[in-house]
Amino acid sequence: MRVLGVDPGLTRCGVGVVEGVAGRPLTMLGVGVVRTPSDAELGDRLVAVERGIEAWLDEYAPGYVAVERVFAQHNVRTVMGTAQASAVAMLCAARRGIPVALHTPSEVKAAVTGSGRADKAQIGAMVTRLLRLDAPPKPADAADALALAICHIWRAPAQNRLQQAVAAHRTSGSPGAPGAFRTPGAPRTPGVSRTPRTSGPGSPDTTPGATGTPRTTGATGAPRTPGTPRPLKGRTA
């Protein structure tokens, strides 16, 4: 798995490419920063970020792009610039059909250092150790980009299994899907009546004295009309 990590920013946009799989040593293929002048127009700066990321995509052809998820800060201007650079990175990847994953800073810190509150120095030290580098990448934006790539390589297998399990659960539990059954004890659909049994104990045609079954009298078995006087037995006068 080859991942391009992007730490978005207008002045410095960190980028780093890491290759490997979870559970095995990782290899850094490249790391750097895409810079834009702070006094340039916003549109020109975004174009510069786009060109820089496109150059990294052309050179390393990653299979995935991991971008830091933008979160709220007190400085609204900084948040807007970070969000705009993040959108440019996702646009460049989507244009090429490369899957994009977003990871929060806490997720990246916890994955790389074991603590979601690690500082920049701790992240740089762990990135140096995990990638077997001679020194921490400079500036810190570059180290953060590598940390994003490492985080995605380690978290992607678990995320894929979770997504597959959710998709399988939705498919099997959908109405009308094969294998669906009615829960025991669940109420029946209103308006649907049971079909009366025609044989066996308790059926309408065999129960003694059932309603609607005429009684017979006499040897002939002819039914007696209600209200008709019963004939007298014995000798006539």
Side-chain angles (χ1 to χ4, degrees):
M1 178 184 295
R2 181 176 295 186
V3 181
L4 170 66
V6 179
D7 182 39
L10 279 179
T11 304
R12 294 185 308 271
C13 181
V15 287
V17 182
V18 178
E19 188 173 48
V21 295
R24 295 185 180 181
L26 306 177
T27 303
M28 184 194 74
L29 301 182
V31 64
V33 176
V34 177
R35 300 178 184 270
T36 64
S38 59
D39 57 348
E41 293 292 334
L42 176 60
D44 296 335
R45 301 180 73 181
L46 294 176
V47 170
V49 172
E50 178 191 17
R51 290 175 178 173
I53 295 177
E54 288 286 354
W56 279 80
L57 293 175
D58 289 336
E59 182 175 358
Y60 294 99
Y64 301 87
V65 173
V67 183
E68 182 180 281
R69 185 185 296 274
V70 180
F71 64 97
Q73 292 178 337
H74 298 292
N75 192 336
V76 179
R77 183 177 180 180
T78 302
V79 174
M80 291 299 296
T82 303
Q84 290 163 346
S86 175
V88 170
M90 290 187 288
L91 172 65
C92 293
R95 183 184 296 156
R96 297 170 180 249
I98 303 175
V100 179
L102 300 177
H103 299 284
T104 64
S106 298
E107 290 175 350
V108 176
K109 294 176 182 179
V112 175
T113 68
S115 172
R117 298 183 178 182
D119 56 18
K120 296 287 187 180
Q122 291 174 312
I123 294 176
M126 287 304 300
V127 168
T128 303
R129 179 179 178 181
L130 292 172
L131 298 178
R132 304 178 304 281
L133 305 178
D134 297 332
K138 297 294 184 181
D141 308 88
D144 291 343
L146 293 175
L148 276 160
I150 295 172
C151 173
H152 184 71
I153 291 175
W154 286 353
R155 293 173 61 92
Q159 290 179 344
N160 292 338
R161 289 194 295 269
L162 178 60
Q163 293 174 356
Q164 293 174 359
V166 172
H169 175 72
R170 290 177 178 176
T171 302
S172 61
S174 59
F181 59 92
R182 186 174 62 89
T183 305
R188 295 179 178 270
T189 305
V192 179
S193 58
R194 295 184 178 182
T195 304
R197 293 180 296 178
T198 57
S199 63
S203 59
D205 56 344
T206 58
T207 304
T211 305
T213 303
R215 292 183 300 175
T216 58
T217 57
T220 61
R224 181 173 60 88
T225 303
T228 304
R230 186 188 300 273
L232 298 177
K233 297 179 180 181
R235 298 168 59 185
T236 57

